[in-house]
Amino acid sequence: MATSPRRYLGDIADHLAEQLPGTWNASVTVYSQPVWQEDLVAWLWDSGELMEAARAASVPYAATLNNGAGIELLLIERPGHPAGYVVGAFSSEDFDDNYQDATAPASLVADESDLAAGITDRFLPAYQQALHARRTIQVTSALDRIRTEYRAWKALVASTQYSTATPVGIEALGTRTEEFLTRASQDFLAILDHGRPLLEQYPPAVTQRPGNADNADVITRLSAALTDAETVLACDTPLTHQERCERMWPTIETWLTDGEWLLLQDRPTAPAVHRPSALPASEPPRTNRR
């Protein structure tokens, strides 16, 4: 029987759970079948050696570390090496399609003696940076889509005709308005998922810096708008599709107007992403507009 110079992975994971900041739970999973290991690929959010190992190397067992606050790590023995470990992250539950995601953090490779410090000082900050960037991209993309549809709708209302110069009837205009509100409400779901975590990145110490006296008010408006949208979607009173969309519009408009401030804030630890131009406030569109 061959013995390994490595310590049992479960003991290492338990020790790590005690050393990492916050409260962590550790467990070990055995991948006795290759297909079980292959299942990891869809859930890992990694651009480094961990993903490569899950795809192409033998990973007979691994340890997971979960902090109960949305972060779950995977720890494996470094394949093809007599010593060393690789640790990376599973994606936050708010995301799917993680494979080859451009914002994915790179897994950490370290010796046992450096694992805890490496995770605390390097990997977790990089993970939070990547998560912030991914959420920002989601919110930015949603606002871009809504803004594009809104400008097209406004142009149609202003011209009261299609691009072919065909006159737009009142019924058609109402239909186009309802279509716009429906698409905007659907796109806004991404902002509901990711907007609040972005807002929580800016505590009062940041929002009330000299020269930014109004920033706290912007944060309050954006947060209140999300609460209003959540209330509409969870409304106990049955709403028609049209009523739900129309009641969502003030929230959407608030984010079109003030969301730009959030996306333009300086975040030295967050990668740069595309920031769209701000959209001036305007009256909410109505499906029964005449």
Side-chain angles (χ1 to χ4, degrees):
M1 180 177 65
T3 60
S4 171
R6 300 177 188 262
R7 281 208 301 151
Y8 172 55
L9 189 65
D11 292 340
I12 295 175
D14 287 339
H15 186 54
L16 274 178
E18 296 174 353
Q19 293 180 297
L20 296 179
T23 302
W24 294 77
N25 294 313
S27 62
V28 174
T29 301
V30 176
Y31 302 109
S32 56
Q33 301 294 329
V35 68
W36 297 353
Q37 173 188 325
E38 293 168 6
D39 288 343
L40 289 171
V41 174
W43 300 102
L44 288 175
W45 187 41
D46 182 67
S47 61
E49 193 167 319
L50 182 62
M51 179 63 80
E52 294 176 4
R55 292 182 59 210
S58 174
V59 182
Y61 46 83
T64 57
L65 295 125
N66 194 314
N67 72 345
I71 302 179
E72 187 173 12
L73 307 179
L74 188 72
L75 172 70
I76 66 172
E77 296 175 349
R78 192 179 187 190
H81 293 76
Y85 297 85
V86 183
V87 61
F90 290 99
S91 175
S92 167
E93 62 182 12
D94 296 331
F95 296 100
D96 51 18
D97 296 328
N98 307 304
Y99 181 62
Q100 292 186 332
D101 175 70
T103 62
S107 45
L108 173 77
V109 178
D111 293 330
E112 181 181 345
S113 60
D114 297 328
L115 265 178
I119 294 172
T120 300
D121 298 336
R122 299 194 301 278
F123 182 79
L124 288 179
Y127 171 89
Q128 293 292 356
Q129 172 186 351
L131 185 58
H132 176 88
R134 195 174 190 186
R135 284 172 171 158
T136 300
I137 289 170
Q138 291 291 316
V139 171
T140 301
S141 297
L143 288 176
D144 272 345
R145 292 192 299 271
I146 296 171
R147 184 177 290 107
T148 298
E149 292 286 348
Y150 176 76
R151 287 173 172 159
W153 177 87
K154 286 290 287 184
L156 179 65
V157 172
S159 65
T160 65
Q161 64 182 22
Y162 295 113
S163 59
T164 58
T166 302
V168 179
I170 292 177
E171 292 183 359
L173 186 58
T175 299
R176 293 293 289 270
T177 299
E178 185 172 356
E179 291 173 352
F180 160 68
L181 287 172
T182 297
R183 288 192 294 267
S185 297
Q186 291 172 343
D187 286 331
F188 195 77
L189 295 179
I191 300 174
L192 278 176
D193 288 338
H194 306 294
R196 201 173 296 282
L198 289 181
L199 291 174
E200 292 170 354
Q201 295 289 322
Y202 303 97
V206 174
T207 60
Q208 296 176 1
R209 289 179 300 186
N212 291 328
D214 296 333
N215 289 350
D217 291 338
V218 174
I219 291 291
T220 298
R221 288 197 297 272
L222 292 172
S223 180
L226 292 180
T227 300
D228 290 343
E230 291 164 351
T231 300
V232 171
L233 294 177
C235 185
D236 293 332
T237 304
L239 298 173
T240 66
H241 176 71
Q242 176 179 327
E243 289 172 337
R244 183 178 292 107
C245 289
E246 290 181 351
R247 287 181 58 178
M248 284 285 290
W249 175 250
T251 288
I252 295 171
E253 188 178 39
T254 296
W255 272 80
L256 285 174
T257 303
D258 290 333
E260 177 67 4
W261 175 90
L262 182 69
L263 300 175
L264 287 174
Q265 291 310 293
D266 293 332
R267 290 274 306 172
T269 60
V273 296
H274 167 68
R275 273 95 174 185
S277 57
L279 179 71
S282 64
E283 294 183 0
R286 307 289 294 184
T287 57
N288 59 351
R289 191 184 184 99
R290 296 291 185 268

